[in-house]
Amino acid sequence: MHPAPSIILFTTLSGLGFGLLFWLGIDATAPTGWVAFAFFAIAYLLAVGGLLSSTRHLGRPERALKAFTQWQTSWLSREAWAAVGALTVLGLYAYFLVFFDTQIAVLGWLGAGLAVATVYTTSMIYAQLKTVPRWNRWLTSVLFLATAIAGGALLSGRVSIAMVLLLIAGGIQAWWWQTGDRALRDSGTDMASATGLGKIGEVRAFEPPHTGTNYLLREMVHVVGRRHASKLRLIALVLMMVLPIGLLLVPFSHVFGLLAVISHVAGVLVARWLFFAEAEHVVGLYYGMR
Amino acid sequence: MTQLPTSTERKLGLVIDLDTCVGCHACVISCKGWNTENYGAPLSDQDPYGADPSGTFLNRVHSYEVQPLATSAMPHPAAQLIHFPKSCLHCEDAPCVTVCPTGASYKRVEDGIVLVNESDCIGCGLCAWACPYGARELDQAEGVMKKCTLCVDRIYNENLPEEDREPACVRTCPAGARHFGDLGDPDSAVSQLVAERGGMDLMPEQGTKPVNKYLPPRPKDAWQGQTDVLAPYLEPVAEEPRGFLGWLDKTLEKL
Ligand code: SF4
Ligand code: SF4
Ligand code: SF4
């Protein structure tokens, strides 16, 4: 799949933002006043910034509101509802924390639940697609949730919890890569089933339907970036897990904390780039590619 | 609504004969021609006369080379070239419909045609991701999703002469490789054809239940020695040169 920067930014930033919102929501001793304002401002910038960035991917962004209508079948529509729900409820929660120093715990819990639901719906947009076997697994949702919650813990300054969660998220990421490499093979879809010609013999793409490129190839058959995949996987793991944990192990200072966050975000961005660049869409088989 | 109908009154679709298709791409052109000036936004091209042309098409023809396995009767079977037209298969369990967040994509109850309501489409592209067959293309000029309409604006069009009320690609095909009809009716000509020729689904494991069927290429016949009673009369008459040429041949041999 084409690694579109707008979508990579969206899943990374909004995942992190909703992860942070989750922790702010369930915090028994939530910050109040200006500290609360700062935390919520960061969370909203990330979450909303990510969402806005995703609308850049649309062919007709001016009609984006229509995406709220099909929540009964569409995960994208459900995501829109969950996101608006989480941002509204937690906005109210934050309003009372910032201006009245009052914590309405029920709102916090509800908002935290909606924040997790938002990340889950995002993950399901990808995990539901049978056409991309590497994504079409329950582990994809686990990966998105683990990454968001670990990142949120890190961003909210929960040092010891963050270290454990980063380790778990990194482990799940490695596991997801490991098992994803055979997903296409295990799916049973290949050139033989795509063309139905496998009964005769071995099928080879002889001539494509068009001499130039097209939307399908640009959007769904991205084979260029896979060459350095294993190196990039290592870089991603080091940046998103190893380095932040190392920085948290030394006595805490805000500079190291900030560096840990930056490193983590950079790592998740690399991992998300691979998430798209390595994903094989079965339509590639019609072109003899994967 | 992007909920799929539990059943449709008819299942209109295409049957594509891989044995007959000659790979001329006439259906590609007639499809583009009809659909660029009828239902919905035109099918745009980008950089059509430049170095890197590309454009929106609803129907495309691939070509495959298939190498049959060797058997004792045929130790060196020749590879076969198969032309493979591909447009939307109007799936019964169309994943492209259920993923759509806006309700722009839908499947019609009356005839099973899968369509896009372009004024509702936000161009998110998710339906194209969900289609295993590459049957949907986002138009780069219009920003909305385009796909085969089964020529819905021809098949019911009373302004066209009777014989033109079928999809443009079917009407055009010079080899008669594309057939149109109701695949939900077991007595229809297309259903009969599918039953007779062992019509197949593409990627059945994806669970989309395509309405369109493909007829597999027939086995190639092989040379079986004498094939016609007149064949002996066509055999070469003189095996050995005679007369002057025979003398020359023998003389040269002796030298
Ligand atoms: S072929 Fe693709 S676009 Fe057409 S109905 Fe099936 S899944 Fe949808
Ligand atoms: S591109 Fe249009 S038709 Fe396709 S899923 Fe998005 S809104 Fe629906
Ligand atoms: S039925 Fe019409 S829209 Fe579909 S491929 Fe044929 S000509 Fe194109």
Side-chain angles (χ1 to χ4, degrees):
Chain A
M1 303 293 293
H2 170 61
S6 59
I7 299 206
I8 294 174
L9 268 181
F10 153 62
T11 64
T12 308
L13 296 186
S14 71
L16 197 64
F18 284 109
L20 176 55
L21 285 175
F22 164 78
W23 287 105
L24 293 172
I26 62 161
D27 195 343
T29 53
T32 54
W34 283 110
V35 185
F37 182 81
F39 270 118
F40 278 100
I42 293 171
Y44 273 75
L45 274 179
L46 290 170
V48 178
L51 288 173
L52 285 182
S53 147
S54 77
T55 61
R56 292 230 316 273
H57 184 71
L58 301 180
R60 290 292 191 135
E62 74 277 12
R63 299 179 187 153
L65 282 183
K66 287 188 194 277
F68 284 94
T69 59
Q70 304 301 313
W71 51 271
Q72 289 183 62
T73 60
S74 166
W75 282 106
L76 185 49
S77 195
R78 289 174 195 157
E79 181 197 41
W81 278 107
V84 167
L87 293 174
T88 314
V89 171
L90 287 167
L92 210 60
Y93 173 69
Y95 177 73
F96 282 103
L97 279 177
V98 173
F99 297 106
F100 299 100
D101 284 355
T102 319
Q103 184 174 14
I104 306 178
V106 195
L107 280 184
W109 281 96
L110 183 64
L114 285 166
V116 171
T118 308
V119 177
Y120 178 70
T121 51
T122 306
S123 76
M124 281 308 288
I125 293 174
Y126 306 104
Q128 69 176 333
L129 295 172
K130 276 187 111 167
T131 48
V132 186
R134 194 185 281 272
W135 292 351
N136 186 221
R137 303 182 283 147
W138 58 269
L139 202 55
T140 302
S141 297
V142 177
L143 174 67
F144 273 59
L145 287 169
T147 312
I149 292 175
L154 177 64
L155 210 56
S156 69
R158 288 171 167 72
V159 175
S160 43
I161 299 179
M163 283 198 286
V164 179
L165 289 177
L166 283 173
L167 205 61
I168 294 175
I172 292 172
Q173 178 69 72
W175 185 22
W176 187 87
W177 276 326
Q178 185 70 33
T179 47
D181 286 343
R182 34 168 221 270
L184 178 63
R185 194 165 11 103
D186 292 350
S187 76
T189 299
D190 52 19
M191 278 186 83
S193 81
T195 60
L197 299 171
K199 276 168 235 120
I200 306 175
E202 200 196 322
V203 186
R204 198 169 71 83
F206 183 74
E207 213 174 22
H210 38 95
T211 47
T213 184
N214 73 347
Y215 171 74
L216 299 172
L217 291 177
R218 278 192 303 264
E219 184 76 6
M220 281 167 277
V221 190
H222 180 90
V223 285
V224 214
R226 299 200 193 131
R227 219 166 347 129
H228 302 295
S230 47
K231 261 183 236 159
L232 285 171
R233 285 180 182 184
L234 201 66
I235 291 173
L237 271 187
V238 169
L239 286 176
M240 70 183 273
M241 177 179 76
V242 182
L243 210 57
I245 293 181
L247 287 164
L248 293 181
L249 277 175
V250 296
F252 184 79
S253 82
H254 281 289
V255 178
F256 283 161
L258 186 67
L259 284 178
V261 170
I262 292 173
S263 163
H264 174 73
V265 174
V268 176
L269 280 174
V270 176
R272 284 292 147 85
W273 187 86
L274 284 169
F275 181 82
F276 289 95
E278 283 194 288
E280 308 95 338
H281 192 290
V282 293
V283 74
L285 296 168
Y286 284 107
Y287 290 88
M289 303 181 204
R290 44 173 305 211
Chain B
M1 254 312 193
T2 52
Q3 268 155 322
L4 288 167
T6 41
S7 69
T8 57
E9 283 155 39
R10 295 196 291 163
K11 295 179 189 171
L12 294 187
L14 301 176
V15 172
I16 294 173
D17 191 342
L18 297 179
D19 195 60
T20 324
C21 175
V22 293
C24 69
H25 292 241
C27 57
V28 178
I29 301 307
S30 68
C31 171
K32 176 117 175 173
W34 176 263
N35 286 289
T36 206
E37 42 195 45
N38 290 283
Y39 181 98
L43 303 169
S44 71
D45 291 315
Q46 280 68 44
D47 196 18
Y49 304 105
D52 189 18
S54 77
T56 311
F57 286 79
L58 311 183
N59 176 40
R60 297 189 184 259
V61 181
H62 293 254
S63 295
Y64 298 104
E65 184 190 71
V66 186
Q67 178 61 60
L69 295 172
T71 57
S72 50
M74 273 251 222
H76 302 294
Q80 295 180 24
L81 189 59
I82 291 152
H83 303 292
F84 192 97
K86 185 162 59 60
S87 48
C88 170
L89 291 86
H90 297 280
C91 306
E92 281 179 55
D93 264 337
C96 56
V97 171
T98 49
V99 297
C100 175
T102 64
S105 282
Y106 61 105
K107 185 169 175 71
R108 299 185 1 149
V109 182
E110 60 270 39
D111 49 20
I113 299 179
V114 175
L115 284 178
V116 176
N117 175 356
E118 292 174 10
S119 57
D120 274 353
C121 174
I122 56 173
C124 65
L126 195 53
C127 55
W129 288 12
C131 170
Y133 309 107
R136 291 176 167 244
E137 301 187 15
L138 190 77
D139 190 86
Q140 298 303 298
E142 201 65 22
V144 297
M145 196 53 73
K146 302 296 296 186
K147 69 177 290 300
C148 157
T149 64
L150 206 63
C151 286
V152 67
D153 47 358
R154 287 176 65 93
I155 58 179
Y156 299 116
N157 192 336
E158 312 240 306
N159 297 321
L160 294 178
E162 180 93 46
E163 66 269 28
D164 281 338
R165 288 182 214 157
E166 60 177 15
C169 55
V170 175
R171 187 82 179 98
T172 289
C173 179
R178 298 177 79 109
H179 307 267
F180 164 71
D182 180 6
L183 287 138
D185 170 9
D187 297 326
S188 69
V190 278
S191 296
Q192 298 286 329
L193 199 57
V194 169
E196 219 171 277
R197 296 272 309 278
M200 58 186 181
D201 288 349
L202 303 185
M203 293 189 188
E205 70 284 351
Q206 286 272 334
T208 53
K209 296 210 228 124
V211 167
N212 285 14
K213 301 284 183 237
Y214 281 77
L215 306 180
R218 296 181 174 94
K220 295 276 177 251
D221 46 11
W223 182 252
Q224 303 284 354
Q226 183 174 317
T227 54
D228 194 288
V229 284
L230 295 175
Y233 297 103
L234 296 171
E235 271 173 15
V237 180
E239 300 284 339
E240 289 289 316
R242 271 184 260 163
F244 172 70
L245 277 180
W247 171 82
L248 194 65
D249 190 49
K250 275 190 210 116
T251 318
L252 287 172
E253 200 96 332
K254 280 185 199 133
L255 284 176

